[in-house]
Amino acid sequence: MIHECTRVRASACAAFIKRSRDAECSPEFSQCGPWSPLTTKDALTCLSQSENDLETKYRRSMLDIAILQDRIALQCESVRKIQSDRIDLSTRMRDMEQKLQHERQDHRDVNSALSRQFKTMQTELTNKVKRLEKEVSQLNEELALCQEELRKEKREREKMERDKDATIADLLHKLDNMEMHYEKVLHDTLDSLSSQLSVARQKWEDNSTALHQNYKGLLSEFGLNAVDI
C-alpha cells in the first residue's frame, strides 16, 4: 500500500507540473500579465493539497470498494443460500413426488383391494339374498299349509265340540229320563214292597193269632193257664 501511495503522489506531481506548463502556454495565461516562475513553496503547497485530495479520494475509493465487496459478499451469500434453498426445495419436491407416487400407488392398491372386497361382499350378499328369498318363499308355503291345516283342525275341533255338546246334551237328557224312570220304578217297587209287607204282616198276625189260640187250647187241655206261663 505504501508503494501504491508513492506512485500515486508521483503521478499527481507530474500531472500538476504538466498542468502548470500548459497554463503558461495558454492564451488566458498570456492575457493575465507577464509570466512569473512557480516558486518551490507554491509547488510544495500544491503538491501537499494534491496528495491530500488523492489520499482522500483513495480512502473514499477503498471505502467504496470495501462496501462493494461487502455487498458482493452478501449477494454471494444470498445467492449461495438461495441455491442451497433451491437444492433443498428440489430435494424436498423430489421426496414429496416420490411420497406422492407411493401414496397414489398405495391408494390404487387400497382401491383395488376395496373393489375386490366390495365385489366379493356384493356377490355374497346377492347369494345370501337369493337364499333368504328362497327360504322365505318356502316358509311362506309352509305357513300357508300350516294355516290351512290349522283352519281345518279348528273346523274339526269346532265340529267335535258341537258333537260333544250335542252328545252331552243327549246324555243329560237321557240321564234325566233315566232318573225319572228309575225314580218311578223305585217308587213303584217301594209301594209294591210296602203292600207286600203289609199283606205279609197281616198274614203273619193272622197266623200268629191262630197259632196262639191253638197253643192256648192245648195248654187248656193239659190244665195249664197261658197267663201263668
Side-chain angles (χ1 to χ4, degrees):
M1 183 179 291
I2 295 173
H3 294 292
E4 183 68 23
C5 291
T6 304
R7 188 176 62 80
V8 171
R9 288 178 181 178
S11 299
C13 290
F16 178 75
I17 294 170
K18 185 176 182 300
R19 285 197 301 272
S20 298
R21 290 177 179 177
D22 292 336
E24 292 175 357
C25 297
S26 62
E28 291 81 2
F29 184 79
S30 60
Q31 292 177 1
C32 292
W35 175 81
S36 61
L38 186 64
T39 63
T40 303
K41 184 178 180 180
D42 294 334
L44 291 174
T45 301
C46 292
L47 182 61
S48 178
Q49 291 178 355
S50 298
E51 287 179 355
N52 291 330
D53 293 337
L54 289 173
E55 187 175 358
T56 301
K57 291 180 180 180
Y58 176 76
R59 289 179 179 178
R60 188 176 296 171
S61 298
M62 293 299 293
L63 182 60
D64 293 336
I65 290 171
I67 292 172
L68 290 174
Q69 287 177 351
D70 291 337
R71 290 181 179 178
I72 291 171
L74 289 174
Q75 290 180 357
C76 291
E77 183 67 23
S78 299
V79 170
R80 284 194 297 271
K81 186 176 180 181
I82 291 171
Q83 290 178 351
S84 178
D85 293 338
R86 185 176 62 184
I87 293 171
D88 293 338
L89 183 60
S90 299
T91 304
R92 290 177 61 186
M93 287 181 65
R94 285 195 300 271
D95 294 337
M96 291 180 68
E97 287 178 355
Q98 291 178 358
K99 185 177 180 180
L100 181 60
Q101 290 179 358
H102 289 305
E103 289 181 354
R104 286 178 178 175
Q105 184 64 35
D106 294 338
H107 184 67
R108 286 193 293 269
D109 294 337
V110 170
N111 285 334
S112 179
L114 290 176
S115 297
R116 289 194 298 271
Q117 291 180 1
F118 176 75
K119 290 180 180 179
T120 303
M121 291 177 64
Q122 187 177 13
T123 303
E124 292 177 354
L125 288 175
T126 302
N127 295 330
K128 187 175 182 180
V129 167
K130 290 181 179 179
R131 185 174 67 255
L132 291 175
E133 288 178 351
K134 186 177 180 180
E135 291 179 358
V136 168
S137 178
Q138 185 176 359
L139 290 174
N140 287 328
E141 292 177 358
E142 292 178 358
L143 179 62
L145 293 175
C146 291
Q147 289 177 349
E148 182 64 27
E149 291 179 359
L150 181 63
R151 286 192 293 269
K152 183 178 179 181
E153 185 177 356
K154 186 177 180 180
R155 288 193 298 269
E156 291 178 355
R157 186 179 63 184
E158 290 176 353
K159 183 180 179 182
M160 288 176 64
E161 288 180 355
R162 288 194 299 270
D163 294 339
K164 182 179 70 175
D165 293 337
T167 302
I168 291 173
D170 188 26
L171 290 174
L172 289 174
H173 181 68
K174 288 181 179 180
L175 183 62
D176 292 337
N177 292 331
M178 288 177 67
E179 184 178 359
M180 293 174 63
H181 177 70
Y182 285 127
E183 185 177 359
K184 183 179 180 182
V185 170
L186 181 60
H187 284 296
D188 292 340
T189 302
L190 289 175
D191 292 339
S192 177
L193 183 60
S194 296
S195 298
Q196 290 178 4
L197 287 174
S198 297
V199 172
R201 181 179 180 182
Q202 186 65 36
K203 186 177 180 180
W204 181 78
E205 288 179 354
D206 292 340
N207 291 330
S208 178
T209 301
L211 183 61
H212 182 68
Q213 290 295 330
N214 289 329
Y215 285 150
K216 188 176 180 182
L218 291 174
L219 289 174
S220 296
E221 290 178 359
F222 288 102
L224 297 173
N225 189 3
V227 178
D228 294 334
I229 297 172

